Amino acid sequence: MNPRVPWPDERLIKAAQDGDVTSLTTVVLRSQPHVRRFALSLCASPQDAEDAAQEALIILYRKIGTLRATGALASWMFRIVRNECLRQVRRLVPRGGGDVAAEPEAAAAPSAEEAVLHRLEVERIAAAVCALPPDQRQVLIMRDVQGLPGKSVADSLGLSNAAMKSRLHRARAVLRHSLTTTDRTVARPVGEEP
């Protein structure tokens, strides 16, 4: 991956929007290194990053005609990659309900309000996880979301067990602080100072 590859210029993007297949192919190829680099900085693992980058490039290929401003390609692509990484994290977060047979009251369908609140909570947690620094996000997702053993996480990231535990502790602390801060912000009446 060559970081010196420039983003496609507006003329090339406009030609791709107008249906020129060669221009469209060039736009996708020139966007690819930037999209991959951004995905690697956001996603939990290189495999997730590759999946998010590929999905973003497919969306670019299919929907470049919907891009309103040719100068907005980079921000549009980064938003798509971010959404893909968030989608992957949401997929890993349990949807709740657990074992229905173990909890008879869980058999009742949640109300529409409960479903909306649950979805908002999952999105809030996913956004907080995505906001973590990449090294902390990787450890947290591998250990706490995917449930991998600490030794496996340390080995796969090339860390000592102590370094992995330290990184995980920092990630949990930052995540806890972030979620607590947003709780206070949401609970505070409008106009009240923090």
Side-chain angles (χ1 to χ4, degrees):
M1 173 170 72
N2 183 356
R4 300 263 183 226
V5 174
W7 277 98
D9 61 35
E10 291 186 29
R11 184 179 40 84
L12 189 62
I13 296 168
K14 179 69 176 133
Q17 287 178 311
D18 291 340
D20 180 50
V21 177
T22 304
S23 297
L24 179 55
T25 302
T26 304
V27 167
V28 171
L29 289 174
R30 286 191 187 169
S31 300
Q32 188 175 18
H34 305 286
V35 169
R36 279 201 171 127
R37 192 168 41 255
F38 186 65
L40 281 168
S41 74
L42 272 185
C43 293
S45 69
Q47 296 82 10
D48 289 347
E50 186 62 30
D51 291 347
Q54 288 302 318
E55 188 61 32
L57 292 168
I58 289 168
I59 290 170
L60 169 63
Y61 187 83
R62 289 182 182 162
K63 297 187 176 186
I64 192 164
T66 64
L67 179 64
R68 290 195 180 123
T70 55
L73 178 67
S75 61
W76 186 56
M77 292 305 299
F78 290 154
R79 195 167 45 253
I80 291 169
V81 170
R82 180 182 167 277
N83 289 342
E84 279 302 308
C85 291
L86 280 171
R87 187 181 62 75
Q88 290 173 357
V89 170
R90 280 189 212 112
R91 241 187 17 234
L92 296 173
V93 175
R95 296 255 181 219
D99 185 7
V100 176
E103 297 180 39
E105 64 273 3
S111 69
E113 181 182 357
E114 289 171 335
V116 168
L117 289 174
H118 182 266
R119 190 181 79 241
L120 290 173
E121 182 67 8
V122 167
E123 288 177 4
R124 185 173 77 98
I125 293 168
V129 169
C130 281
L132 289 171
D135 59 335
Q136 293 177 14
R137 183 175 49 250
Q138 281 182 320
V139 170
L140 182 88
I141 289 176
M142 292 174 80
R143 185 74 180 99
D144 290 351
V145 178
Q146 295 175 336
L148 298 173
K151 178 149 179 41
S152 297
V153 174
D155 290 345
S156 71
L157 296 176
L159 299 171
S160 69
N161 201 38
M164 185 280 301
K165 286 181 178 180
S166 174
R167 201 175 282 183
L168 179 61
H169 175 75
R170 283 193 310 270
R172 287 173 176 165
V174 170
L175 186 63
R176 188 177 311 113
H177 175 66
S178 174
L179 294 173
T180 304
T181 303
T182 57
D183 281 344
R184 287 187 196 135
T185 304
V186 171
R188 186 180 311 115
V190 176
E192 184 178 307
E193 292 294 319

